[in-house]
Amino acid sequence: MESRGCRGLLLLVLLLGCVRRGTGCGPETCPAAPEGFLNVHLIPHTHNDVGWLKTVDQYYYGGRNNIQHAGVQYILDSVVQQLLTDPRRRFIYVESAFFWRWWQMQKESVQRDVIQLIQEGRLEFINGGWSMNDEAATHYSPIIDQMTLGLQFLQSTFGECGRPRVAWHIDPFGHSREQALLFAQMGYDGFFFGRLDYQDKSNRMKTKQMEMIWRGSDDLAAPTADLFTGVLPNGYNPPDGFCWDQFCTDPPIMDDAQLEDNNVDYILQLFLKTVKIQASGYRSNHIAMTMGSDFQYENAIPWFKNMDKLIDLVNAQQINGSKVNVVYSTPSCYLTALNRANLSWPVKMDDFFPYADGAHMFWTGYFTSRAAFKRYERLSNNFLQVCNQLEALTGPAATHGPYGTSSSLTLRRAMGVAQHHDAVTGTAKQHVNDDYTLRLYKGWETCQVVISNALSSLTGTKESFTFCNLLNISVCPTTEAAKSFNVFVYNPLGRAVTWYIRLPVNGVAYTVRGPSGDAVTSEFTKDIRRDQGNAERELMFPAQVPPLGFSKFTVQKMATQERFFIRTKKRTSPTKMENKVRYNVIIAPSPDV
């Protein structure tokens, strides 16, 4: 079977010049990889889902361990302490949402130790987004936002040494060319992932195409759109027989010569056999082994203790002629070694979709699962863009105003979590999905304060603003009951739009006037839901809204007899009409971005 997008096309790539160096934390901190040896890069890591079987909070604190034993705070506590005991040891961490929370709770002495580990390259951030986002059900705008949120935290807290140089999507269920393009344009030097179609992987192992140059665009120049990409050999798990987490069942290295069940020879031979098989699918004399998995390293002692022994055991065989060298490493150190190898790589031109991990076992249901939450996530992204724009436009007036103190940060963090590959995909448990929804709802609440403050500053309006958040079920208590109200329609797009406003009402005749006071054509429909709210019909009218701006429409309910004389009735001046208005309704977001 010929792999799509490769077709024998080769590209000679020198990546060494792409690697950026931080002060004291660049390639110079990587372990030596001697020539003439097969160098095995052990990559200690943990994969921490930002919600899946448990909520984000439950995963962080270790709650509901009857569902899954996992506590992120203990993982980070344990790893930091074990790194400090031996300068050879290394570890990578990925999810900024968890690390940000842990960092806020640490004593100054622990923070100093962490900064030292980062500057020495022994604790390294990989990927660095707020979460590890999905690549199929997401939109590029919130992907960029959630990556920005995580990377800004790392950069502002740890400087250049905190800036990840390698993208790491080990668990999303298939991979898109557009995601690779985004990573390339964000300045990443390489990209590693774990899941691809089982037949594609089998073919790539046979033809040594597990590592490639992924060309993310047909339109952009090759260097801009190209990204070195590697497929990890075991998904993101350790090789069979070498899982030493406290919940694993693989035997530890029992190296006392007096033991009846001493297993040193067995471990050594199994490891060398594993290395040989893995190396057969890769082009260079370097291979990477992921040593960790979901929520592992809560007790980092058995992992590091056994990896220490493994490294010493295998490398000791070099005096007997062995050509295998094992080191603690990171994805960026592995990439640096590949840079120096000066090899040619196949080129990939298309997606890694759909993903199947066996015959008739396609992971495609999540493209449409939990459609209501997918819609809510999209609307939340629209609303966040409105919130961000008005916050930037009015500055402190938006965050500290007559309606309270707030910011867009709550919704930005909630949206960052919602991009996770078990969130927007709809693959989390029901109570976890409920938590995702609640986080977005709380974000909407805080942004409504920001928008109210901003519009108050821009318009001078001091009366209460109402957000019609339930228009999808034809419910808006203010428009259902009020005799007159203003409607503020905000457009976050960079172009003017005309949008048809639908407002639930109970009257039979209304006048609608636009920003200049001119009458706006309107009509009614009775095709609305009757099981929610009290509205008998909906008022509809077109709203023309300028780019990155808002338009105000004034709606006035007419008495029954007035509807028959509306054409001859003397026009009510906008000033007099507005004096009667007691309610201000905000329609945001506007059309989908």
Side-chain angles (χ1 to χ4, degrees), residues 136-151:
T138 44
H139 188 276
Y140 76 90
S141 173
I143 290 177
I144 294 172
D145 282 350
Q146 76 90 14
M147 290 298 299
T148 300
L149 186 61
L151 294 176

Side-chain angles (χ1 to χ4, degrees), residues 17 30 134 235 315 402 414 490 563:
C30 293
D134 174 59
N315 291 348
Y490 185 82
R563 62 188 293 222

Side-chain angles (χ1 to χ4, degrees), residues 469-534:
N469 294 329
L470 299 177
L471 287 180
N472 63 313
I473 56 172
S474 302
V475 173
C476 185
T478 297
T479 63
E480 292 172 24
K483 294 183 178 180
S484 61
F485 51 88
N486 291 324
V487 179
F488 292 87
V489 184
Y490 185 82
N491 172 24
L493 302 180
R495 55 181 171 80
V497 297
T498 298
W499 191 33
Y500 279 86
I501 307 299
R502 298 168 63 102
L503 299 174
V505 294
N506 279 306
V508 294
Y510 288 81
T511 60
V512 181
R513 298 198 180 276
S516 62
D518 296 332
V520 176
T521 302
S522 62
E523 57 186 65
F524 291 95
T525 176
K526 289 188 177 182
D527 185 20
I528 65 174
R529 291 180 54 173
R530 297 299 303 275
D531 58 339
Q532 299 287 339
N534 301 306

Side-chain angles (χ1 to χ4, degrees), residues 14 27 98 100 117 199 221 237 240 259 277 299 302 336 340 355 363 399 429 480 497 509 548:
L14 299 178
F98 282 132
W100 167 80
L117 291 171
Q199 295 177 93
N237 298 309
D240 290 343
L259 293 177
I277 293 173
N299 177 6
T336 296
R340 293 169 177 161
Y355 165 56
W363 294 47
T399 55
K429 293 293 187 180
E480 292 172 24
V497 297
L548 297 176

